[in-house]
Amino acid sequence: MADLPSIIVAEEDYNRLSTLIERVAGQSDVADGLEEELSRADLKPLAEMPEGVVTMNSRVRFLNEDSGAENEVALVYPHEVDGADHKVSILAPAGAAMLGLSIGSSIEWPMRGRKPIHLKIIGVTRNV
C-alpha cells in the first residue's frame, strides 16, 4: 500500500468534525476512516493554514489523471449538500479523502459501482 500523503487540518474544522463523528459513531464506515485521517493530521489554526490546502467549505479544482478532465467541487458538511451538483459531503468517501490535501497532491477517488479514478488537486479556493 502506498504511503498516505501528509495532511494539514484547521483546528476549527477538526473540532467540528470530531463532534460530527461522535454523532454518527457506528453508522458510517466513512466517519471511521475520517476519524483515522484526523488522528494523523497536523493541526493549525485556520488563520495560519497555508494557501492551497483543502479545508471545509473550500472549492477544490482537480484534474482527472485518467481522462484529463478538470472539475471543481465544494467540500461541505452533510447538511449543506442539499442535492446540488458540485458539492461533496465530508462524509462521502471522496470528501473524507480530500480534506487536508494540498495543491499537487494526488488521491484515488472512490466511484460507486466503478473502478476508482485518480485525481490531482490543482486549485483550492477557501471561502472566508
Side-chain angles (χ1 to χ4, degrees), residues 69-80:
E70 288 187 23
N71 206 337
E72 184 174 278
V73 296
L75 180 61
V76 299
Y77 291 96
H79 69 277
E80 297 171 323

Side-chain angles (χ1 to χ4, degrees), residues 13-34:
D13 290 345
Y14 176 89
N15 293 335
R16 192 165 177 198
L17 291 170
S18 294
T19 300
L20 175 63
I21 290 167
E22 285 177 22
R23 269 191 297 162
V24 298
Q27 302 172 32
S28 166
D29 291 341
V30 176
D32 295 341
L34 178 58

Side-chain angles (χ1 to χ4, degrees), residues 6-81:
S6 62
I7 60 172
I8 305 170
V9 174
E11 292 171 349
E12 297 86 343
D13 290 345
Y14 176 89
N15 293 335
R16 192 165 177 198
L17 291 170
S18 294
T19 300
L20 175 63
I21 290 167
E22 285 177 22
R23 269 191 297 162
V24 298
Q27 302 172 32
S28 166
D29 291 341
V30 176
D32 295 341
L34 178 58
E35 186 172 30
E36 287 177 29
E37 287 290 286
L38 292 175
S39 72
R40 69 180 191 83
D42 179 18
L43 301 179
K44 292 193 179 298
L46 186 58
E48 296 176 18
M49 288 293 287
E51 289 295 316
V53 175
V54 179
T55 61
M56 291 305 301
N57 299 307
S58 292
R59 295 205 61 75
V60 183
R61 226 168 18 98
F62 54 87
L63 172 69
N64 179 328
E65 296 180 303
D66 300 318
S67 71
E70 288 187 23
N71 206 337
E72 184 174 278
V73 296
L75 180 61
V76 299
Y77 291 96
H79 69 277
E80 297 171 323
V81 172

Side-chain angles (χ1 to χ4, degrees), residues 30 75 88-99 101 107-110 119:
V30 176
L75 180 61
V88 64
S89 168
I90 187 64
L91 290 183
M98 77 170 69
L99 180 70
L101 294 177
I107 60 169
E108 191 172 84
W109 186 294
L119 303 178

